Amino acid sequence: MADGATGDAGTEEPEVNRVPVDIRSRLALALDVDDLIEAKRLAASLSPYFGTIKVGLELYLAAGPTSVGYFAEAGFDVFCDLKLHDIPNTVERAARVVGSLGARWMTCHTSGGLTMLRAAVVGLTEGAANAGMPTPGVLGVTVLTSDDTATSAELSARCDLAVDASCGGIICAAPDLEDTEPWADRLARVVPGIRLPGGDTHDQSRVASPSDALVAGADLLVIGRMVTAAEDPVAAAEELVASVLS
Ligand code: C5P
């Protein structure tokens, strides 16, 4: 995958030594909560397991840009999942703000087209450069899991768009890893819908186990309710890492 996903938050925690860095760097924790205090608590307790924190719409709308800056300063790679889709000028300007916050990744819908995606890349890159931050990457959302009408040809076209726009990667479901393999050398593949066998799938319809998704070529796994909604999130994270190592 593209470089990154190497946040060093939590290195003061002894547990971090038990989680291989190449596993931790491939795990993103989706903080789908509406309260920054709760998000901080979850991130602190789970930092030995996750190198990346995903700030989605819910937390961003509740806590604002502070949420991105906080986790970036804490040493995590921050994946700002705002799924931008608007006119290119608006996307570029919004992306410039996200870049200035220190985000490592920001999502945009590939369905917004080439000009919009290029604008996102320009804005994100310039925003980070102006703030003296490392260059972040745009992740193109290929097909929403709720969209059961998109064809394999559309998926391929969206991967081409992401490459043409100089995106750093894509978001795709685990079953699409095989079809997106031809782009694996140019795009990091970020995969949600991860569940341990037998676990509650919630509203996810296209799930895979962590090890299956990694074997199939996923660069970064987005882990949400499997850990955050567990009775004991730390135990769930332990189980997750153990399943990958077994
Ligand atoms: O289901 P889970 O809590 O693991 O979701 C993690 C992330 O996956 C969410 O933050 C959301 O971005 C994405 N998601 C998805 N399709 C769904 C539900 C969530 O891609 N049906």
Side-chain angles (χ1 to χ4, degrees):
M1 71 183 285
D3 60 349
T6 53
D8 61 357
T11 45
E12 73 279 6
E13 300 280 342
E15 292 95 323
V16 79
N17 298 325
R18 295 192 289 110
V19 181
V21 71
D22 61 327
I23 300 294
R24 184 177 179 270
S25 69
R26 286 174 175 234
L27 299 177
L29 179 65
L31 288 177
D32 293 324
V33 295
D34 64 3
D35 175 40
L36 187 55
I37 303 290
E38 189 188 347
K40 285 179 180 180
R41 264 196 215 118
L42 270 170
S45 64
L46 294 167
S47 68
Y49 310 92
F50 296 91
T52 299
I53 291 293
K54 183 170 91 87
V55 174
L57 268 182
E58 185 180 358
L59 182 57
Y60 194 85
L61 291 175
T66 309
S67 53
V68 179
Y70 174 80
F71 293 114
E73 277 172 32
F76 291 101
D77 281 345
V78 181
F79 166 4
C80 198
D81 189 17
L82 301 179
K83 296 188 177 70
L84 299 184
H85 187 167
D86 208 318
I87 60 169
N89 180 60
T90 299
V91 167
E92 180 175 332
R93 292 170 72 93
R96 189 170 283 114
V97 175
V98 176
S100 74
L101 301 175
R104 171 68 185 87
W105 302 108
M106 184 201 76
T107 49
C108 252
H109 281 287
T110 53
S111 57
L114 184 60
T115 309
M116 189 206 76
L117 286 175
R118 281 189 175 143
V121 172
V122 167
L124 192 68
T125 305
E126 284 182 6
N130 292 343
M133 303 283 184
T135 307
V138 170
L139 295 173
V141 178
T142 53
V143 179
L144 287 177
T145 51
S146 53
D147 179 358
D148 52 11
T149 62
T151 62
S152 172
E154 276 168 305
L155 178 63
S156 299
R158 289 174 183 181
C159 290
D160 282 335
L161 271 181
V163 169
D164 290 348
S166 301
C167 290
I170 53 168
I171 310 286
C172 69
D176 292 338
L177 284 167
E178 195 178 337
D179 283 350
T180 57
E181 184 63 32
W183 292 270
D185 56 339
R186 287 156 291 165
L187 297 169
R189 291 179 296 165
V190 178
V191 178
I194 302 300
R195 294 294 186 276
L196 287 175
D200 188 341
T201 57
H202 304 103
D203 58 353
Q204 293 279 9
S205 53
R206 306 176 75 208
V207 299
S209 75
S211 48
D212 284 351
L214 289 173
V215 166
D219 294 295
L220 187 63
L221 305 182
V222 181
I223 310 289
R225 288 163 290 183
M226 183 186 118
V227 165
T228 57
E231 207 167 298
D232 182 345
V234 171
E238 283 282 347
E239 199 184 345
L240 161 73
V241 170
S243 80
V244 173
L245 292 174
S246 67

